[in-house]
């Protein structure tokens, strides 16, 4: 027996393939590869290093994420999607050559009053319907006029917006309206423009513009809830695997696990997998959620616990302790697991804990 705990096996080749696929779909756009939240759980430093030659820029959500990439030697421009929060951060952004997103007038005021050690590249973020952060379209001219007067801002500035509903095939009109709104607010007034997240890249070619900002698709996952990555030419980049650490004979009528939520309707064999919410596998995965063992699907049964999950192997078979179990990845899309758990695959891959081992294959 050669059992092991959870391993997140990351294929950097798949991530490169997925970036190439984004470029094929948007051949005239440059790419800001989004590596926020530890590259959606795939390891930001490894992913950024693997994409150094292919990505024109990287994008992250937090100042600390950008600093980590710089400290590791990433040289490309790094776009801080939510900008800076105070004068000190702004100064550090200029110093480290981060591009900053300006989404509110408070940031603009800081830019006007904070002395910087180097000129800074600004992306004005416009609210075209998400209504979360962003300058309203009516105030874009005012913001641009103030930005144009700031000497330490590289002129002209860039503009961006973020789609709220580009992943919903039935709501195309909403995204069309966002695109029109953005174009009207920025046409002829800015340098580079960027609108598209992965859903935009895949479904709204006319919005590809100067830069695309693919995130989830780089990791082989589609943003569309009814599809899987392979439907749009993507390859899953993460195999979450673990192993069987016990197999027991189980009688009809016996429950399994905490609270006895599942009772076996037949005599069977129960496999115990070294995976649980302590690894980031969702506790909410219900009985019936599939796993893959030796290429065959089996249903989870009973509660997922911190360290273990149980699977119904059926009355007969050749599975053995030590056999590898795939929780999601090649042959079992994370999108499918997400549907069982009532969430999105973004969350599954991003919320792994520090317990699994990360392994990288080229
Ligand atoms: C996260 C993010 C993206 C990438 O979105 P995906 O759906 O993962 O492709 C793009 N732009 C902004 C502003 C983001 O915050």
């Amino acid at each position: 027996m050669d059992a092991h705990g959870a391993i997140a096996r990351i294929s950097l080749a798949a991530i490169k393939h997925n970036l190439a696929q984004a470029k094929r779909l948007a051949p005239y756009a440059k790419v800001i590869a989004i590596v926020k939240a530890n590259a959606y759980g795939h390891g930001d430093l490894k992913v950024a290093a693997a994409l150094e030659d292919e990505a024109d820029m990287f994008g992250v959500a937090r100042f600390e994420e950008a600093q980590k990439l710089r400290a590791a030697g990433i040289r490309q421009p790094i776009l801080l999607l939510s900008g800076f929060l105070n004068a000190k951060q702004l100064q550090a952004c200029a110093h480290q050559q981060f591009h900053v997103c300006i989404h509110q007038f408070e940031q603009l005021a800081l830019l006007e009053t904070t002395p910087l050690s180097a000129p800074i590249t600004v992306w004005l973020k416009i609210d075209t319907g998400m209504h979360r952060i962003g300058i309203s379209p009516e105030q874009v001219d005012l913001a641009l006029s103030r930005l144009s007067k700031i000497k330490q801002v590289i002129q002209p500035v860039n503009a961006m917006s973020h789609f709220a509903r580009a992943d919903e095939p039935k709501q195309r009109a909403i995204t069309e309206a966002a695109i029109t709104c953005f174009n009207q607010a920025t046409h002829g007034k800015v340098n580079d423009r960027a609108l598209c997240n992965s859903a935009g890249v895949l479904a709204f070619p006319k919005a590809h513009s100067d830069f695309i900002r693919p995130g989830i698709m780089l990791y082989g996952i589609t943003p569309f809830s009814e599809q899987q990555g392979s439907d749009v030419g993507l390859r899953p980049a993460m195999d979450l695997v673990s192993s069987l650490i016990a197999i027991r004979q189980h009688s009809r009528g016996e429950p399994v696990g905490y609270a006895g939520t599942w009772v076996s309707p037949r005599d069977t064999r129960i496999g115990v997998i070294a995976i649980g919410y302590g690894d980031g596998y969702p506790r909410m995965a219900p009985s019936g959620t599939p796993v893959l063992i030796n290429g065959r699907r089996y249903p989870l049964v009973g509660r997922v616990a911190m360290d273990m999950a149980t699977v119904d192997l059926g009355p007969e078979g050749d599975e053995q302790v030590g056999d590898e179990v795939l929780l999601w990845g090649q042959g079992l899309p994370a999108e499918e697991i997400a549907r069982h758990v009532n969430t999105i695959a973004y969350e599954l891959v991003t919320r792994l804990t520090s317990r699994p081992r990360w392994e990288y294959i080229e």
Side-chain angles (χ1 to χ4, degrees), residues 187-219:
H187 184 74
K189 302 175 190 169
V190 297
N191 184 28
D192 284 323
R193 301 194 287 179
L195 273 166
C196 287
N197 54 2
S198 298
V201 172
L202 290 161
F204 293 92
K206 72 170 181 191
H208 287 163
S209 194
D210 300 303
F211 277 90
I212 54 172
R213 301 191 307 269
I216 196 71
M217 71 183 295
L218 298 178
Y219 310 103

PDB file of all heavy atoms in Angstrom, residues 187-219:
ATOM      1  N   HIS A 187     -14.703  56.570 -25.962  1.00  0.00           N
ATOM      2  CA  HIS A 187     -14.283  56.646 -27.366  1.00  0.00           C
ATOM      3  C   HIS A 187     -13.441  57.898 -27.637  1.00  0.00           C
ATOM      4  O   HIS A 187     -13.868  59.020 -27.375  1.00  0.00           O
ATOM      5  CB  HIS A 187     -15.500  56.645 -28.294  1.00  0.00           C
ATOM      6  CG  HIS A 187     -15.114  56.631 -29.743  1.00  0.00           C
ATOM      7  ND1 HIS A 187     -14.628  55.524 -30.379  1.00  0.00           N
ATOM      8  CD2 HIS A 187     -15.099  57.625 -30.671  1.00  0.00           C
ATOM      9  CE1 HIS A 187     -14.345  55.811 -31.637  1.00  0.00           C
ATOM     10  NE2 HIS A 187     -14.617  57.080 -31.844  1.00  0.00           N
ATOM     11  N   GLY A 188     -12.240  57.662 -28.148  1.00  0.00           N
ATOM     12  CA  GLY A 188     -11.382  58.784 -28.527  1.00  0.00           C
ATOM     13  C   GLY A 188     -10.787  59.557 -27.359  1.00  0.00           C
ATOM     14  O   GLY A 188     -10.148  60.595 -27.566  1.00  0.00           O
ATOM     15  N   LYS A 189     -10.997  59.089 -26.143  1.00  0.00           N
ATOM     16  CA  LYS A 189     -10.547  59.881 -24.988  1.00  0.00           C
ATOM     17  C   LYS A 189      -9.447  59.229 -24.174  1.00  0.00           C
ATOM     18  O   LYS A 189      -8.925  59.858 -23.256  1.00  0.00           O
ATOM     19  CB  LYS A 189     -11.736  60.110 -24.027  1.00  0.00           C
ATOM     20  CG  LYS A 189     -12.924  60.806 -24.653  1.00  0.00           C
ATOM     21  CD  LYS A 189     -14.066  60.865 -23.638  1.00  0.00           C
ATOM     22  CE  LYS A 189     -15.344  61.337 -24.282  1.00  0.00           C
ATOM     23  NZ  LYS A 189     -16.497  61.146 -23.386  1.00  0.00           N
ATOM     24  N   VAL A 190      -9.149  57.968 -24.480  1.00  0.00           N
ATOM     25  CA  VAL A 190      -8.189  57.254 -23.628  1.00  0.00           C
ATOM     26  C   VAL A 190      -7.179  56.515 -24.500  1.00  0.00           C
ATOM     27  O   VAL A 190      -7.342  56.408 -25.717  1.00  0.00           O
ATOM     28  CB  VAL A 190      -8.891  56.239 -22.688  1.00  0.00           C
ATOM     29  CG1 VAL A 190      -9.819  56.957 -21.721  1.00  0.00           C
ATOM     30  CG2 VAL A 190      -9.636  55.167 -23.476  1.00  0.00           C
ATOM     31  N   ASN A 191      -6.153  55.979 -23.853  1.00  0.00           N
ATOM     32  CA  ASN A 191      -5.150  55.193 -24.564  1.00  0.00           C
ATOM     33  C   ASN A 191      -5.669  53.767 -24.741  1.00  0.00           C
ATOM     34  O   ASN A 191      -6.481  53.494 -25.611  1.00  0.00           O
ATOM     35  CB  ASN A 191      -3.835  55.263 -23.773  1.00  0.00           C
ATOM     36  CG  ASN A 191      -2.708  54.568 -24.475  1.00  0.00           C
ATOM     37  OD1 ASN A 191      -2.701  54.476 -25.696  1.00  0.00           O
ATOM     38  ND2 ASN A 191      -1.753  54.075 -23.707  1.00  0.00           N
ATOM     39  N   ASP A 192      -5.272  52.828 -23.895  1.00  0.00           N
ATOM     40  CA  ASP A 192      -5.725  51.442 -24.030  1.00  0.00           C
ATOM     41  C   ASP A 192      -7.031  51.211 -23.281  1.00  0.00           C
ATOM     42  O   ASP A 192      -7.305  51.847 -22.267  1.00  0.00           O
ATOM     43  CB  ASP A 192      -4.658  50.481 -23.490  1.00  0.00           C
ATOM     44  CG  ASP A 192      -3.497  50.334 -24.452  1.00  0.00           C
ATOM     45  OD1 ASP A 192      -3.743  50.336 -25.683  1.00  0.00           O
ATOM     46  OD2 ASP A 192      -2.349  50.250 -23.982  1.00  0.00           O
ATOM     47  N   ARG A 193      -7.809  50.242 -23.820  1.00  0.00           N
ATOM     48  CA  ARG A 193      -9.074  49.903 -23.171  1.00  0.00           C
ATOM     49  C   ARG A 193      -9.138  48.402 -22.907  1.00  0.00           C
ATOM     50  O   ARG A 193      -8.600  47.601 -23.681  1.00  0.00           O
ATOM     51  CB  ARG A 193     -10.246  50.331 -24.047  1.00  0.00           C
ATOM     52  CG  ARG A 193     -10.204  51.837 -24.297  1.00  0.00           C
ATOM     53  CD  ARG A 193     -11.493  52.358 -24.857  1.00  0.00           C
ATOM     54  NE  ARG A 193     -11.700  51.982 -26.245  1.00  0.00           N
ATOM     55  CZ  ARG A 193     -12.792  52.319 -26.942  1.00  0.00           C
ATOM     56  NH1 ARG A 193     -13.758  53.007 -26.365  1.00  0.00           N
ATOM     57  NH2 ARG A 193     -12.916  51.953 -28.198  1.00  0.00           N
ATOM     58  N   ALA A 194      -9.812  48.034 -21.834  1.00  0.00           N
ATOM     59  CA  ALA A 194      -9.923  46.611 -21.471  1.00  0.00           C
ATOM     60  C   ALA A 194     -11.269  46.360 -20.820  1.00  0.00           C
ATOM     61  O   ALA A 194     -11.643  47.027 -19.853  1.00  0.00           O
ATOM     62  CB  ALA A 194      -8.804  46.223 -20.500  1.00  0.00           C
ATOM     63  N   LEU A 195     -11.997  45.398 -21.391  1.00  0.00           N
ATOM     64  CA  LEU A 195     -13.330  45.078 -20.876  1.00  0.00           C
ATOM     65  C   LEU A 195     -13.481  43.625 -20.429  1.00  0.00           C
ATOM     66  O   LEU A 195     -14.234  43.339 -19.508  1.00  0.00           O
ATOM     67  CB  LEU A 195     -14.364  45.293 -22.001  1.00  0.00           C
ATOM     68  CG  LEU A 195     -14.948  46.673 -22.185  1.00  0.00           C
ATOM     69  CD1 LEU A 195     -15.652  46.735 -23.536  1.00  0.00           C
ATOM     70  CD2 LEU A 195     -15.924  46.973 -21.076  1.00  0.00           C
ATOM     71  N   CYS A 196     -12.791  42.715 -21.139  1.00  0.00           N
ATOM     72  CA  CYS A 196     -13.234  41.315 -21.087  1.00  0.00           C
ATOM     73  C   CYS A 196     -12.580  40.447 -20.029  1.00  0.00           C
ATOM     74  O   CYS A 196     -11.369  40.227 -20.043  1.00  0.00           O
ATOM     75  CB  CYS A 196     -12.988  40.662 -22.445  1.00  0.00           C
ATOM     76  SG  CYS A 196     -14.141  41.231 -23.694  1.00  0.00           S
ATOM     77  N   ASN A 197     -13.407  39.903 -19.143  1.00  0.00           N
ATOM     78  CA  ASN A 197     -13.041  38.745 -18.336  1.00  0.00           C
ATOM     79  C   ASN A 197     -13.168  37.513 -19.245  1.00  0.00           C
ATOM     80  O   ASN A 197     -13.425  37.645 -20.447  1.00  0.00           O
ATOM     81  CB  ASN A 197     -13.953  38.652 -17.106  1.00  0.00           C
ATOM     82  CG  ASN A 197     -15.434  38.650 -17.482  1.00  0.00           C
ATOM     83  OD1 ASN A 197     -15.790  38.680 -18.664  1.00  0.00           O
ATOM     84  ND2 ASN A 197     -16.291  38.617 -16.484  1.00  0.00           N
ATOM     85  N   SER A 198     -13.028  36.322 -18.679  1.00  0.00           N
ATOM     86  CA  SER A 198     -13.073  35.120 -19.525  1.00  0.00           C
ATOM     87  C   SER A 198     -14.385  35.028 -20.297  1.00  0.00           C
ATOM     88  O   SER A 198     -14.392  34.693 -21.493  1.00  0.00           O
ATOM     89  CB  SER A 198     -12.913  33.861 -18.671  1.00  0.00           C
ATOM     90  OG  SER A 198     -11.670  33.863 -18.022  1.00  0.00           O
ATOM     91  N   ALA A 199     -15.502  35.318 -19.647  1.00  0.00           N
ATOM     92  CA  ALA A 199     -16.799  35.216 -20.326  1.00  0.00           C
ATOM     93  C   ALA A 199     -16.848  36.186 -21.497  1.00  0.00           C
ATOM     94  O   ALA A 199     -17.369  35.862 -22.570  1.00  0.00           O
ATOM     95  CB  ALA A 199     -17.936  35.479 -19.344  1.00  0.00           C
ATOM     96  N   GLY A 200     -16.282  37.376 -21.306  1.00  0.00           N
ATOM     97  CA  GLY A 200     -16.235  38.347 -22.393  1.00  0.00           C
ATOM     98  C   GLY A 200     -15.355  37.850 -23.537  1.00  0.00           C
ATOM     99  O   GLY A 200     -15.713  37.979 -24.709  1.00  0.00           O
ATOM    100  N   VAL A 201     -14.207  37.278 -23.192  1.00  0.00           N
ATOM    101  CA  VAL A 201     -13.317  36.745 -24.224  1.00  0.00           C
ATOM    102  C   VAL A 201     -14.051  35.708 -25.056  1.00  0.00           C
ATOM    103  O   VAL A 201     -13.989  35.690 -26.283  1.00  0.00           O
ATOM    104  CB  VAL A 201     -12.060  36.105 -23.577  1.00  0.00           C
ATOM    105  CG1 VAL A 201     -11.226  35.378 -24.635  1.00  0.00           C
ATOM    106  CG2 VAL A 201     -11.219  37.153 -22.851  1.00  0.00           C
ATOM    107  N   LEU A 202     -14.796  34.828 -24.372  1.00  0.00           N
ATOM    108  CA  LEU A 202     -15.440  33.707 -25.047  1.00  0.00           C
ATOM    109  C   LEU A 202     -16.702  34.118 -25.798  1.00  0.00           C
ATOM    110  O   LEU A 202     -16.988  33.584 -26.865  1.00  0.00           O
ATOM    111  CB  LEU A 202     -15.790  32.622 -24.016  1.00  0.00           C
ATOM    112  CG  LEU A 202     -14.572  31.872 -23.433  1.00  0.00           C
ATOM    113  CD1 LEU A 202     -14.937  31.182 -22.122  1.00  0.00           C
ATOM    114  CD2 LEU A 202     -14.038  30.856 -24.439  1.00  0.00           C
ATOM    115  N   ALA A 203     -17.464  35.058 -25.259  1.00  0.00           N
ATOM    116  CA  ALA A 203     -18.802  35.302 -25.816  1.00  0.00           C
ATOM    117  C   ALA A 203     -19.001  36.673 -26.446  1.00  0.00           C
ATOM    118  O   ALA A 203     -20.019  36.893 -27.107  1.00  0.00           O
ATOM    119  CB  ALA A 203     -19.850  35.088 -24.713  1.00  0.00           C
ATOM    120  N   PHE A 204     -18.056  37.605 -26.266  1.00  0.00           N
ATOM    121  CA  PHE A 204     -18.267  38.954 -26.806  1.00  0.00           C
ATOM    122  C   PHE A 204     -17.035  39.452 -27.567  1.00  0.00           C
ATOM    123  O   PHE A 204     -16.352  40.383 -27.138  1.00  0.00           O
ATOM    124  CB  PHE A 204     -18.645  39.919 -25.676  1.00  0.00           C
ATOM    125  CG  PHE A 204     -19.988  39.616 -25.087  1.00  0.00           C
ATOM    126  CD1 PHE A 204     -20.095  38.766 -23.991  1.00  0.00           C
ATOM    127  CD2 PHE A 204     -21.153  40.135 -25.642  1.00  0.00           C
ATOM    128  CE1 PHE A 204     -21.345  38.448 -23.455  1.00  0.00           C
ATOM    129  CE2 PHE A 204     -22.397  39.828 -25.117  1.00  0.00           C
ATOM    130  CZ  PHE A 204     -22.489  38.978 -24.026  1.00  0.00           C
ATOM    131  N   PRO A 205     -16.779  38.831 -28.743  1.00  0.00           N
ATOM    132  CA  PRO A 205     -15.585  39.217 -29.519  1.00  0.00           C
ATOM    133  C   PRO A 205     -15.528  40.710 -29.802  1.00  0.00           C
ATOM    134  O   PRO A 205     -14.435  41.286 -29.842  1.00  0.00           O
ATOM    135  CB  PRO A 205     -15.751  38.427 -30.826  1.00  0.00           C
ATOM    136  CG  PRO A 205     -16.718  37.341 -30.544  1.00  0.00           C
ATOM    137  CD  PRO A 205     -17.556  37.764 -29.374  1.00  0.00           C
ATOM    138  N   LYS A 206     -16.658  41.342 -29.969  1.00  0.00           N
ATOM    139  CA  LYS A 206     -16.588  42.757 -30.341  1.00  0.00           C
ATOM    140  C   LYS A 206     -16.107  43.636 -29.187  1.00  0.00           C
ATOM    141  O   LYS A 206     -15.821  44.816 -29.387  1.00  0.00           O
ATOM    142  CB  LYS A 206     -17.947  43.242 -30.837  1.00  0.00           C
ATOM    143  CG  LYS A 206     -18.996  43.396 -29.776  1.00  0.00           C
ATOM    144  CD  LYS A 206     -20.199  44.107 -30.389  1.00  0.00           C
ATOM    145  CE  LYS A 206     -21.261  44.297 -29.332  1.00  0.00           C
ATOM    146  NZ  LYS A 206     -22.528  44.729 -29.884  1.00  0.00           N
ATOM    147  N   ALA A 207     -16.007  43.048 -27.990  1.00  0.00           N
ATOM    148  CA  ALA A 207     -15.528  43.819 -26.839  1.00  0.00           C
ATOM    149  C   ALA A 207     -14.067  43.534 -26.509  1.00  0.00           C
ATOM    150  O   ALA A 207     -13.555  44.006 -25.501  1.00  0.00           O
ATOM    151  CB  ALA A 207     -16.413  43.527 -25.614  1.00  0.00           C
ATOM    152  N   HIS A 208     -13.380  42.751 -27.364  1.00  0.00           N
ATOM    153  CA  HIS A 208     -12.004  42.372 -27.013  1.00  0.00           C
ATOM    154  C   HIS A 208     -11.078  43.567 -26.847  1.00  0.00           C
ATOM    155  O   HIS A 208     -10.203  43.565 -25.989  1.00  0.00           O
ATOM    156  CB  HIS A 208     -11.437  41.406 -28.058  1.00  0.00           C
ATOM    157  CG  HIS A 208     -12.029  40.034 -27.973  1.00  0.00           C
ATOM    158  ND1 HIS A 208     -11.939  39.100 -28.976  1.00  0.00           N
ATOM    159  CD2 HIS A 208     -12.737  39.432 -26.978  1.00  0.00           C
ATOM    160  CE1 HIS A 208     -12.553  37.985 -28.599  1.00  0.00           C
ATOM    161  NE2 HIS A 208     -13.047  38.168 -27.411  1.00  0.00           N
ATOM    162  N   SER A 209     -11.264  44.575 -27.706  1.00  0.00           N
ATOM    163  CA  SER A 209     -10.583  45.850 -27.499  1.00  0.00           C
ATOM    164  C   SER A 209      -9.049  45.699 -27.460  1.00  0.00           C
ATOM    165  O   SER A 209      -8.491  44.830 -28.122  1.00  0.00           O
ATOM    166  CB  SER A 209     -11.154  46.470 -26.228  1.00  0.00           C
ATOM    167  OG  SER A 209     -10.787  47.805 -26.129  1.00  0.00           O
ATOM    168  N   ASP A 210      -8.348  46.516 -26.674  1.00  0.00           N
ATOM    169  CA  ASP A 210      -6.877  46.507 -26.685  1.00  0.00           C
ATOM    170  C   ASP A 210      -6.284  45.408 -25.806  1.00  0.00           C
ATOM    171  O   ASP A 210      -5.271  44.818 -26.133  1.00  0.00           O
ATOM    172  CB  ASP A 210      -6.346  47.859 -26.203  1.00  0.00           C
ATOM    173  CG  ASP A 210      -6.824  48.990 -27.089  1.00  0.00           C
ATOM    174  OD1 ASP A 210      -6.562  48.930 -28.301  1.00  0.00           O
ATOM    175  OD2 ASP A 210      -7.488  49.916 -26.578  1.00  0.00           O
ATOM    176  N   PHE A 211      -6.894  45.199 -24.657  1.00  0.00           N
ATOM    177  CA  PHE A 211      -6.416  44.183 -23.719  1.00  0.00           C
ATOM    178  C   PHE A 211      -7.585  43.310 -23.261  1.00  0.00           C
ATOM    179  O   PHE A 211      -8.682  43.830 -23.007  1.00  0.00           O
ATOM    180  CB  PHE A 211      -5.833  44.835 -22.451  1.00  0.00           C
ATOM    181  CG  PHE A 211      -4.409  45.287 -22.583  1.00  0.00           C
ATOM    182  CD1 PHE A 211      -4.125  46.573 -23.032  1.00  0.00           C
ATOM    183  CD2 PHE A 211      -3.352  44.463 -22.236  1.00  0.00           C
ATOM    184  CE1 PHE A 211      -2.812  47.012 -23.134  1.00  0.00           C
ATOM    185  CE2 PHE A 211      -2.036  44.897 -22.336  1.00  0.00           C
ATOM    186  CZ  PHE A 211      -1.766  46.174 -22.784  1.00  0.00           C
ATOM    187  N   ILE A 212      -7.334  42.018 -23.122  1.00  0.00           N
ATOM    188  CA  ILE A 212      -8.303  41.150 -22.455  1.00  0.00           C
ATOM    189  C   ILE A 212      -7.755  40.793 -21.072  1.00  0.00           C
ATOM    190  O   ILE A 212      -6.550  40.869 -20.836  1.00  0.00           O
ATOM    191  CB  ILE A 212      -8.597  39.861 -23.266  1.00  0.00           C
ATOM    192  CG1 ILE A 212      -7.297  39.119 -23.596  1.00  0.00           C
ATOM    193  CG2 ILE A 212      -9.384  40.195 -24.534  1.00  0.00           C
ATOM    194  CD1 ILE A 212      -7.507  37.743 -24.230  1.00  0.00           C
ATOM    195  N   ARG A 213      -8.675  40.425 -20.164  1.00  0.00           N
ATOM    196  CA  ARG A 213      -8.261  40.090 -18.789  1.00  0.00           C
ATOM    197  C   ARG A 213      -8.766  38.696 -18.406  1.00  0.00           C
ATOM    198  O   ARG A 213      -9.587  38.551 -17.501  1.00  0.00           O
ATOM    199  CB  ARG A 213      -8.825  41.113 -17.793  1.00  0.00           C
ATOM    200  CG  ARG A 213      -8.417  42.566 -18.034  1.00  0.00           C
ATOM    201  CD  ARG A 213      -8.808  43.431 -16.842  1.00  0.00           C
ATOM    202  NE  ARG A 213     -10.213  43.281 -16.482  1.00  0.00           N
ATOM    203  CZ  ARG A 213     -11.198  44.031 -16.948  1.00  0.00           C
ATOM    204  NH1 ARG A 213     -10.954  45.001 -17.796  1.00  0.00           N
ATOM    205  NH2 ARG A 213     -12.449  43.807 -16.554  1.00  0.00           N
ATOM    206  N   PRO A 214      -8.272  37.649 -19.066  1.00  0.00           N
ATOM    207  CA  PRO A 214      -8.766  36.319 -18.729  1.00  0.00           C
ATOM    208  C   PRO A 214      -8.247  35.846 -17.377  1.00  0.00           C
ATOM    209  O   PRO A 214      -7.081  36.030 -17.049  1.00  0.00           O
ATOM    210  CB  PRO A 214      -8.198  35.440 -19.854  1.00  0.00           C
ATOM    211  CG  PRO A 214      -6.953  36.152 -20.281  1.00  0.00           C
ATOM    212  CD  PRO A 214      -7.233  37.620 -20.114  1.00  0.00           C
ATOM    213  N   GLY A 215      -9.133  35.253 -16.600  1.00  0.00           N
ATOM    214  CA  GLY A 215      -8.761  34.647 -15.319  1.00  0.00           C
ATOM    215  C   GLY A 215      -9.075  33.165 -15.358  1.00  0.00           C
ATOM    216  O   GLY A 215      -8.248  32.337 -15.756  1.00  0.00           O
ATOM    217  N   ILE A 216     -10.313  32.835 -15.038  1.00  0.00           N
ATOM    218  CA  ILE A 216     -10.679  31.432 -14.840  1.00  0.00           C
ATOM    219  C   ILE A 216     -10.352  30.562 -16.051  1.00  0.00           C
ATOM    220  O   ILE A 216      -9.979  29.395 -15.898  1.00  0.00           O
ATOM    221  CB  ILE A 216     -12.196  31.321 -14.466  1.00  0.00           C
ATOM    222  CG1 ILE A 216     -12.508  29.956 -13.876  1.00  0.00           C
ATOM    223  CG2 ILE A 216     -13.101  31.623 -15.649  1.00  0.00           C
ATOM    224  CD1 ILE A 216     -11.970  29.711 -12.506  1.00  0.00           C
ATOM    225  N   MET A 217     -10.472  31.099 -17.255  1.00  0.00           N
ATOM    226  CA  MET A 217     -10.218  30.246 -18.426  1.00  0.00           C
ATOM    227  C   MET A 217      -8.757  29.806 -18.513  1.00  0.00           C
ATOM    228  O   MET A 217      -8.452  28.756 -19.067  1.00  0.00           O
ATOM    229  CB  MET A 217     -10.669  30.928 -19.726  1.00  0.00           C
ATOM    230  CG  MET A 217      -9.839  32.091 -20.181  1.00  0.00           C
ATOM    231  SD  MET A 217     -10.501  32.893 -21.692  1.00  0.00           S
ATOM    232  CE  MET A 217     -10.324  31.595 -22.915  1.00  0.00           C
ATOM    233  N   LEU A 218      -7.838  30.585 -17.929  1.00  0.00           N
ATOM    234  CA  LEU A 218      -6.428  30.172 -17.933  1.00  0.00           C
ATOM    235  C   LEU A 218      -6.251  28.855 -17.189  1.00  0.00           C
ATOM    236  O   LEU A 218      -5.322  28.091 -17.448  1.00  0.00           O
ATOM    237  CB  LEU A 218      -5.555  31.235 -17.270  1.00  0.00           C
ATOM    238  CG  LEU A 218      -5.529  32.611 -17.929  1.00  0.00           C
ATOM    239  CD1 LEU A 218      -4.646  33.550 -17.114  1.00  0.00           C
ATOM    240  CD2 LEU A 218      -5.034  32.509 -19.365  1.00  0.00           C
ATOM    241  N   TYR A 219      -7.168  28.630 -16.255  1.00  0.00           N
ATOM    242  CA  TYR A 219      -7.059  27.430 -15.421  1.00  0.00           C
ATOM    243  C   TYR A 219      -7.909  26.287 -15.971  1.00  0.00           C
ATOM    244  O   TYR A 219      -8.089  25.267 -15.323  1.00  0.00           O
ATOM    245  CB  TYR A 219      -7.408  27.810 -13.965  1.00  0.00           C
ATOM    246  CG  TYR A 219      -6.604  29.031 -13.581  1.00  0.00           C
ATOM    247  CD1 TYR A 219      -7.181  30.308 -13.529  1.00  0.00           C
ATOM    248  CD2 TYR A 219      -5.226  28.925 -13.406  1.00  0.00           C
ATOM    249  CE1 TYR A 219      -6.407  31.437 -13.276  1.00  0.00           C
ATOM    250  CE2 TYR A 219      -4.443  30.052 -13.156  1.00  0.00           C
ATOM    251  CZ  TYR A 219      -5.046  31.303 -13.089  1.00  0.00           C
ATOM    252  OH  TYR A 219      -4.265  32.417 -12.868  1.00  0.00           O
TER     253      TYR A 219
END
